[in-house]
């Protein structure tokens, strides 16, 4: 059976401090979690019961073994997780200064294994048959991953739903101009684009949300989703219909996983055939839930948790009404 959600790109191990408001130089204890944005999106989608898999690579090391066992534990198919000899499995550290300061330190040099995905290694049948195929900007930053990502998009040819997470990480690129060239090529093959204001500016040159959404639609997508942080989310479709969703109040613990939770929930809504307002509202609430938790992959909510957040209830309240 085809996968409902198939993502491609970054993977690694997130090492998060178990102390907040403390710099890495002073931290004394850490937690280890599965990481990498498209990997977390697949995990989030699996939480909603979606058949999910990720195309990526690890190093030949114990952290690579951890990645596979973690994916299996979350119900994400690991058959497309290859092994590269070029470098160890990446590790990412962060500092946690709520509510809005979460510096990231990527240990991916000289090159991460997930950027060693090659076009001739792709299962094009699975890529073409997936309900949602999800790629990221990071996958376009270096060869051979760039060629592999573009080959996957060209083969898919906008069948089903193809999502481009703009995912701008400046440390992975030489400059914005280089990124914009490859972003433009990817946008021609995708049906949905998702990004925050900075990412939209890299892709289109526009920072004003409505102008950025219009530019993404002009570039080729059918739905543009612009995340505006404390101002909420804007979604505009090719027909010109615009939906603006206000932010969900949350006591932020760690904002790093919110975007991935948003992505997995967005996939679920698109696959469910929901309208844009319901889909983006659901995704927005999922992101808020994870922002209130420490980890990324471990923190992904269930559908019941998201619905409870949307309706201002708890799962216990729902159970009491059912009784």
């Amino acid at each position: 059976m085809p996968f409902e959600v198939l993502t491609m790109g970054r993977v690694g191990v997130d090492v998060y401090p178990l102390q907040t408001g403390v710099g890495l130089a002073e931290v004394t204890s850490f937690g280890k979690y599965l990481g990498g944005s498209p990997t977390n999106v697949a995990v989030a989608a699996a939480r909603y019961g979606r058949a999910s898999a990720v195309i990526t690579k690890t190093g030949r090391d114990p952290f690579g073994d951890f990645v596979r066992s973690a994916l299996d534990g979350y119900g994400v198919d690991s058959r497309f997780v290859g092994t590269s000899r070029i470098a160890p499995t990446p590790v990412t550290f962060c500092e946690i200064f709520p509510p809005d300061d979460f510096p990231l330190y990527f240990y991916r040099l000289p090159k991460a294994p997930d950027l060693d995905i090659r076009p001739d290694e792709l299962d094009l049948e699975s890529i073409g048959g997936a309900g949602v195929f999800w790629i990221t900007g990071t996958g376009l930053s270096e060869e051979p991953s760039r060629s592999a990502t573009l080959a996957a998009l060209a083969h898919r040819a906008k069948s089903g739903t193809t999502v481009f997470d703009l995912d701008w990480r400046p440390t992975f690129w030489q400059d914005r101009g280089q990124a914009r060239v490859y972003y433009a090529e990817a946008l021609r093959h995708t049906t949905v684009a998702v990004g925050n204001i900075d990412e939209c500016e890299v892709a289109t040159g526009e920072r004003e949300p409505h102008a950025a959404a219009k530019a993404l639609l002009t570039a080729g997508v059918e739905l543009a989703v612009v995340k505006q942080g404390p101002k909420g989310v804007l979604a505009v479709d090719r027909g010109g219909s615009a939906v603006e969703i206000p932010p969900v109040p949350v006591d932020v613990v760690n904002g790093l996983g919110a975007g991935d939770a948003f992505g997995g929930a967005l996939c679920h809504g698109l696959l469910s055939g929901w309208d844009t307002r319901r889909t983006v509202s659901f995704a927005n609430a999922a992101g808020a839930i994870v922002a209130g938790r420490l980890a990324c992959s471990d923190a992904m909510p269930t559908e019941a948790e998201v619905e409870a957040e949307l309706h201002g209830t708890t799962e216990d309240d729902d159970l009491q009404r059912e009784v």
Side-chain angles (χ1 to χ4, degrees):
M1 295 293 292
F3 290 103
E4 292 176 283
V5 177
L6 179 58
T7 70
M8 179 175 177
R10 200 164 67 249
V11 74
V13 177
D14 288 343
V15 182
Y16 287 172
L18 300 181
Q19 300 150 277
T20 62
V22 179
L24 283 178
E26 289 78 39
V27 173
T28 58
S29 58
F30 297 85
K32 179 186 69 176
Y33 308 96
L34 180 67
S37 181
T39 302
N40 286 335
V41 168
V43 170
R47 281 286 164 87
Y48 305 120
R50 298 298 180 179
S52 303
V54 58
I55 301 169
T56 191
K57 280 186 176 182
T58 70
R60 192 179 298 275
D61 53 39
F63 276 154
D65 298 335
F66 166 74
V67 165
R68 289 168 178 78
S69 64
L71 286 169
D72 293 339
Y74 290 127
V76 177
D77 198 302
S78 60
R79 73 180 68 181
F80 304 128
V81 181
T83 303
S84 173
R85 295 181 180 275
I86 65 169
T89 304
V91 176
T92 301
F93 287 87
C94 80
E95 294 175 318
I96 301 177
F97 296 100
D100 58 4
D101 187 17
F102 307 100
L104 278 171
Y105 302 90
F106 292 101
Y107 288 76
R108 293 171 55 87
L109 298 175
K111 185 174 186 175
D114 54 65
L115 292 174
D116 192 36
I117 301 170
R118 301 175 181 276
D120 60 1
E121 297 171 332
L122 298 175
D123 184 332
L124 295 177
E125 183 177 356
S126 293
I127 289 170
V132 174
F133 181 55
W134 180 286
I135 64 104
T136 76
T138 297
L140 298 170
S141 64
E142 287 194 40
E143 293 290 2
S145 172
R146 178 187 300 147
S147 291
T149 301
L150 293 173
L153 291 174
H155 175 80
R156 188 163 169 85
K158 291 193 175 184
S159 59
T161 298
T162 305
V163 183
F164 181 12
D165 175 6
L166 301 179
D167 185 42
W168 166 245
R169 308 282 177 167
T171 58
F172 301 159
W173 290 87
Q174 293 179 9
D175 57 62
R176 287 173 176 250
Q178 181 198 35
R180 186 170 297 170
V181 170
Y182 295 111
Y183 275 40
E185 188 170 350
L187 284 167
R188 289 196 292 271
H189 297 287
T190 52
T191 61
V192 180
V194 183
N196 61 32
I197 295 297
D198 289 339
E199 292 166 340
C200 288
E201 183 180 25
V202 170
T204 70
E206 300 284 355
R207 282 194 67 83
E208 195 283 321
H210 287 270
K214 182 178 180 180
L216 289 169
L217 293 168
T218 300
V221 305
E222 303 295 324
L223 176 66
V225 180
V226 182
K227 295 184 283 189
Q228 305 174 76
K231 294 184 178 180
V233 183
L234 168 68
V236 184
D237 64 27
R238 181 163 290 282
S241 298
V243 171
E244 294 196 61
I245 305 299
V248 176
V250 60
D251 292 327
V252 175
V253 175
N254 183 359
L256 294 175
D260 303 337
F262 184 101
L266 181 72
C267 292
H268 180 53
L270 293 170
L271 288 166
S272 298
W274 298 343
D275 62 31
T276 300
R277 180 171 295 278
R278 182 179 179 191
T279 298
V280 177
S281 296
F282 185 90
N284 201 36
I289 289 171
V290 174
R293 299 173 176 177
L294 174 64
C296 295
S297 51
D298 276 2
M300 296 304 172
T302 65
E303 184 167 1
E305 287 177 308
V306 180
E307 292 292 351
E309 178 69 34
L310 280 170
H311 297 101
T313 64
T314 66
E315 290 186 81
D316 288 340
D317 293 334
D318 293 337
L319 289 171
Q320 287 173 8
R321 280 197 292 272
E322 291 175 7
V323 173

